[in-house]
Amino acid sequence: RLASVFMQAEAILPKGWIVTAGMSLNTTAVTFNRLSVVPSFQYNTRFNNELAPRVSLLKKITGALSVYGLVSKGFSPPTVAELLPSTSVINTELQAEKGINYELGFRGGLFANRLSLDINAFDFRLQNAITQRRDISGADYFQNAGDTKQQGLEGAVSYQVIRNSDRLVNKLIAWFNYTYQDFHYKNFKQLNNDFSGKQIPSIAPHTVASGIDLDTKPGWYGSLTYYYSDPIALNDANSDFASSYNLLGFRTGIRKSFGNRLKADIFISGDNLLNEKYSLGNDINAAGSRFYNTAAGVNYQAGVSLQYVSK
């Protein structure tokens, strides 16, 4: 059973100031009734949070540019899949996560909105963080990992090099996304192991995603994408790391309309053109160091997509 109450108010003030304030109250109740044992076993758990506020302040610099800051408090109860993971053991000790987040950001457009910017810095402090582990059989289970400190920066920039429907090349966009994530355990002890100060596994400190998208008036299109990931910690002890990797891909094709109802897209694409060896998703804290999942080397696809629009 889930229940949530949320209210929000917004005040638009002179000189481009906007204040938004919100408040939420959430409750979650879960009941497990296990019939495979005699007598049957029933477990009840309930997660209640105190009032969770959110306050933001935005200042419009121009009609298209603004700077903002916000403070919010959050509450996240464990899911049913976390309370009853693939080990089939009901976790009667798992607690809800609670945290507080501070953000400062800048977003908007320049040069007649050809240049789009969205930059955000954050500082997030989480209590009772839920982490995933795997036992020797490969089944997963979850536990609270104490307090975490998560700081970072997210930035997205795109520029419309060409924006003219009458040209042969009527759209050309270059874009670049960057993420910095400094995520560490603040206080986390498990039995005789002290992981305080260690990097939180599964998080790459630096990632980059960029690309170029092109459209033409006759319907030909193309895109080139690049992605980089820093090494990723694979366990709480930070004794194993997945290597960094670079992915390069493309997609090109032609879109055509036949009348007003039938649309076709014929395309060819390629991925991992640099033939990198990397893991496509890692099993964090896996027993026996079985962290990795195989990813394909250089690969290509071709296809046809048809869309029929009725009246």
Side-chain angles (χ1 to χ4, degrees):
R1 298 187 301 278
L2 305 174
S4 178
V5 178
F6 176 77
M7 64 182 68
Q8 179 172 295
E10 184 176 88
I12 300 177
L13 306 177
K15 298 183 178 181
W17 290 95
I18 300 176
V19 180
T20 304
M23 187 77 70
S24 69
L25 179 65
N26 305 274
T27 180
T28 302
V30 181
T31 298
F32 291 105
N33 189 17
R34 174 155 283 171
L35 304 176
S36 59
V37 295
V38 179
S40 61
F41 169 76
Q42 188 174 84
Y43 170 68
N44 298 281
T45 185
R46 186 183 182 92
F47 303 97
N48 295 317
N49 77 314
E50 63 274 12
L51 293 174
R54 180 184 184 276
V55 179
S56 69
L57 179 64
L58 181 143
K59 166 64 176 174
K60 287 188 175 180
I61 302 173
T62 67
L65 288 175
S66 60
V67 60
Y68 64 91
L70 68 87
V71 180
S72 60
K73 190 175 182 182
F75 165 84
S76 179
T79 64
V80 172
E82 291 169 339
L83 291 170
L84 182 60
S86 56
T87 58
S88 297
V89 177
I90 298 174
N91 193 331
T92 60
E93 299 181 354
L94 204 59
Q95 301 297 314
E97 298 177 318
K98 295 181 180 181
I100 186 167
N101 183 51
Y102 304 89
E103 290 187 31
L104 182 64
F106 173 85
R107 64 185 176 216
L110 295 170
F111 311 119
N113 285 328
R114 282 182 176 270
L115 179 64
S116 178
L117 301 169
D118 194 342
I119 301 172
N120 174 55
F122 61 89
D123 186 338
F124 181 47
R125 307 298 172 97
L126 185 64
Q127 297 177 329
N128 292 330
I130 297 176
T131 61
Q132 182 181 11
R133 290 181 168 273
R134 289 184 181 271
D135 62 17
I136 194 171
S137 69
D140 57 6
Y141 64 98
F142 300 85
Q143 67 177 51
N144 292 109
D147 302 340
T148 69
K149 181 180 179 182
Q150 304 177 23
Q151 297 174 317
L153 178 70
E154 300 171 331
V157 180
S158 66
Y159 184 72
Q160 299 184 43
V161 182
I162 298 175
R163 185 180 59 183
N164 190 331
S165 59
D166 295 327
R167 289 187 177 183
L168 175 64
V169 177
N170 53 31
K171 184 171 73 173
L172 178 63
I173 299 176
W175 53 274
F176 178 86
N177 297 338
Y178 167 74
T179 302
Y180 168 64
Q181 301 174 114
D182 183 17
F183 291 7
H184 288 83
Y185 290 122
K186 187 177 179 182
N187 297 296
F188 178 28
K189 294 182 179 180
Q190 185 187 45
L191 301 177
N192 296 324
N193 298 316
D194 188 352
F195 301 126
S196 302
K198 296 291 187 179
Q199 182 179 328
I200 297 176
S202 79
I203 305 298
H206 300 273
T207 61
V208 172
S210 61
I212 298 175
D213 300 325
L214 176 147
D215 282 339
T216 67
K217 194 172 183 179
W220 291 99
Y221 68 91
S223 64
L224 184 68
T225 59
Y226 168 76
Y227 178 81
Y228 166 79
S229 173
D230 249 2
I232 298 173
L234 298 173
N235 54 21
D236 293 327
N238 292 178
S239 59
D240 292 277
F241 281 80
S243 301
S244 63
Y245 59 91
N246 300 269
L247 296 179
L248 186 65
F250 79 93
R251 179 181 172 116
T252 185
I254 185 170
R255 301 185 185 99
K256 283 291 185 181
S257 296
F258 301 93
N260 296 324
R261 297 188 182 183
L262 185 61
K263 297 180 180 180
D265 181 1
I266 304 172
F267 67 89
I268 182 172
S269 65
D271 193 20
N272 195 9
L273 302 181
L274 302 176
N275 200 27
E276 288 273 70
K277 291 184 178 180
Y278 72 104
S279 175
L280 188 61
N282 301 291
D283 294 333
I284 303 304
N285 289 312
S289 299
R290 299 196 302 267
F291 306 113
Y292 306 104
N293 293 289
T294 303
V298 179
N299 61 94
Y300 302 94
Q301 297 182 25
V304 178
S305 173
L306 298 174
Q307 181 182 16
Y308 180 79
V309 182
S310 61
K311 287 185 180 180

